[in-house]
Amino acid sequence: MLSIKRKLNLTNNSSEQAFNQLLLQIVGKNFIDNLNMINADSKSKIEKCIVCTNEEYSYALSLQADCVPDSKRMIIQAQKRLESLNALLTLARLI
């Protein structure tokens, strides 16, 4: 019984590390550091990243309305990040 618990712990730790690595690749270290969610579970981190990215997306849309040249790039970046975060959240929910 102990070996099964140990395997489950290893699997959970490995899964958590894999999600953290993917999240880091999607949003970047500075973004994660600004979240201030060190002890939060993976789903909570992803959901917080989605909220923050939606805010960035809204800001980029407002810049586009003001004809700011860099807004198009910001919108595309936010859209790609949101797609990746939503895919990661789907996986987190399945696991």
Side-chain angles (χ1 to χ4, degrees):
M1 188 68 166
L2 183 61
S3 66
I4 292 173
K5 286 183 181 178
R6 204 175 291 155
K7 285 181 183 179
L8 287 174
N9 283 340
L10 287 175
T11 303
N12 287 340
N13 289 338
S14 299
S15 298
E16 189 74 24
Q17 288 175 349
F19 272 108
N20 286 333
Q21 183 62 34
L22 288 172
L23 188 60
L24 179 68
Q25 293 299 314
I26 293 168
V27 299
K29 184 174 177 1
N30 290 337
F31 196 96
I32 291 175
D33 289 344
N34 289 332
L35 290 180
N36 198 19
M37 297 183 69
I38 295 169
N39 295 324
D41 63 293
S42 295
K43 285 194 287 188
S44 297
K45 288 179 185 176
I46 296 166
E47 290 167 347
K48 180 68 173 175
C49 286
I50 289 172
V51 168
C52 292
T53 302
N54 277 327
E55 290 171 2
E56 287 183 6
Y57 181 68
S58 295
Y59 177 67
L61 288 175
S62 71
L63 291 178
Q64 184 181 38
D66 293 337
C67 299
V68 174
D70 203 29
S71 61
K72 180 89 171 158
R73 179 195 57 80
M74 293 170 68
I75 290 169
I76 292 169
Q77 255 182 342
Q79 287 172 331
K80 287 181 181 179
R81 189 179 310 139
L82 283 171
E83 288 174 12
S84 297
L85 287 169
N86 282 312
L88 191 59
L89 184 58
T90 299
L91 288 175
R93 287 179 177 152
L94 290 173
I95 294 173

